[in-house]
Amino acid sequence: HAKSPRQPGYFYTSDSDQSKVGSVLKSVARDWSSLGSSERSACYSSILSALDRHVPPLPSALVLVPGSGLGRLALEVCGRGYAVQGNDFSLPMLLASDYVLNACGEEAHVIHPWLSSTVNVEKRDDKVRGVKVPDVDPGSIIFGGGRSDPPDFSMAAGEFLDCYDKPEEAGRWSAVASCFFLDTAFDIVSYLTCMYSMLRPGGVLINLGPMLWHWSGRSLRPGERRENLTRPGEDDRYGRSVDFTYEDVREIMVSVGFEMVEERLGVECEYTGDGRSMMHTRYRCAFFVARKPEA
């Protein structure tokens, strides 16, 4: 919280924090409500099916879900019999996922994820409608099928490279399953090189997502220097990031050493959409499975 300049003794929530709370609530609805089931099916089903095809759920199989957000994809992977670790950098997302995964039964709460919406609203009631979460008891997924000894499930907090670009992670993982994650990279070459290193021989990178590029900034104008691209106090990665095409990313993957096993373009998905909104954003995502060759 920041101190209010207008009313001494009062505090207000910054615009940035309000935006983060709004994003978390929409993500909870996406991952943990019946309203989000169509989005989850469009995004997660291809990843889970590919995991079934390419990685047998043996006791030794270990799957990483980077950018795990509210944790539903990671939990669904665990429910299929894989030991899994989710990873996320966002503290608000981590706090919310921890609460849902460890302290909530089915439909324990009602949230109002679209309360802050002010544009493209058709009816007044659309803003204030409630959504019951979670749509399932997370424990029922882990212990599904009467398991008494479920696979290991854990979450790691931190930036992806800080957590996994380490010698002890090399050759440890059977699969990396990412959804709407690769374009959060400031340096996609380092991300893909790290993923290649951490996979076992024969391990796979399974990905679905767009090329939105989280760190995308404006282009240099004549006479400007790169430091002019960011405002005072703004992360300078916005001024140094490169927005690659999917074709570029594919070539980088092959150069790193991956073999493309499956590839499908134009997979239509939404992300934290409001079904009643007067505006919808649909992504034409790339889905692929890339394998690290056997030694």
Side-chain angles (χ1 to χ4, degrees), residues 23-281:
S23 295
V24 167
L25 290 175
K26 291 180 177 69
S27 294
V28 173
R30 167 187 164 85
D31 260 11
W32 294 104
S33 80
S34 58
L35 289 181
S37 61
S38 60
E39 277 196 23
R40 293 197 302 273
S41 177
C43 294
Y44 298 166
S45 294
S46 295
I47 294 172
L48 294 170
S49 296
L51 196 61
D52 291 339
R53 289 193 299 275
H54 296 285
V55 184
L58 302 173
S60 60
L62 185 58
V63 179
L64 175 69
V65 180
S68 54
L70 269 293
R72 184 64 178 262
L73 176 58
L75 193 66
E76 294 288 353
V77 171
C78 183
R80 281 174 136 76
Y82 300 94
V84 60
Q85 183 170 88
N87 163 248
D88 208 279
F89 176 73
S90 167
L91 179 59
M93 291 287 188
L94 289 164
L95 290 173
S97 65
D98 176 68
Y99 180 71
V100 173
L101 290 168
N102 294 300
C104 286
E106 183 176 350
E107 296 187 347
H109 298 284
V110 176
I111 63 172
H112 302 267
W114 299 287
L115 193 60
S116 61
S117 299
T118 60
V119 297
N120 290 307
V121 181
E122 182 177 338
K123 299 179 180 179
R124 290 186 293 272
D125 288 346
D126 291 348
K127 294 180 58 173
V128 298
R129 73 189 191 275
V131 179
K132 293 181 179 180
V133 295
D135 60 323
V136 296
D137 182 341
S140 69
I141 298 177
I142 294 178
F143 293 95
R147 293 191 191 98
S148 59
D149 186 21
D152 183 63
F153 177 78
S154 63
M155 298 289 284
E159 202 278 329
F160 174 72
L161 292 177
D162 291 341
C163 290
Y164 301 104
D165 192 16
K166 301 175 181 178
E168 59 266 30
E169 298 294 336
R172 182 184 173 207
W173 301 84
S174 306
V176 175
S178 62
C179 183
F180 278 72
F181 174 72
L182 288 184
D183 58 354
T184 67
F186 160 65
D187 179 358
I188 187 62
V189 177
S190 294
Y191 268 43
L192 292 172
T193 302
C194 177
M195 290 175 177
Y196 186 85
S197 172
M198 63 194 294
L199 286 170
R200 301 168 183 171
V204 290
L205 165 60
I206 304 170
N207 176 79
L208 183 142
M211 297 284 107
L212 186 59
W213 300 117
H214 174 85
W215 296 103
S216 179
R218 68 176 178 83
S219 302
L220 280 170
R221 293 170 181 151
E224 281 190 323
R225 298 175 62 85
R226 190 162 293 278
E227 53 266 28
N228 299 137
L229 294 179
T230 53
R231 296 183 293 270
E234 187 176 48
D235 195 310
D236 69 350
R237 283 178 287 186
Y238 285 107
R240 297 188 291 122
S241 179
V242 177
D243 300 343
F244 290 102
T245 66
Y246 173 70
E247 184 179 35
D248 296 329
V249 172
R250 192 186 193 284
E251 290 182 4
I252 292 168
M253 282 193 295
V254 173
S255 296
V256 166
F258 281 109
E259 298 174 342
M260 295 298 288
V261 179
E262 294 184 32
E263 186 176 31
R264 191 165 72 251
L265 303 180
V267 180
E268 292 199 354
C269 301
E270 291 193 32
Y271 195 88
T272 64
D274 176 1
R276 296 189 187 178
S277 174
M278 299 174 73
M279 184 187 79
H280 290 259
T281 299

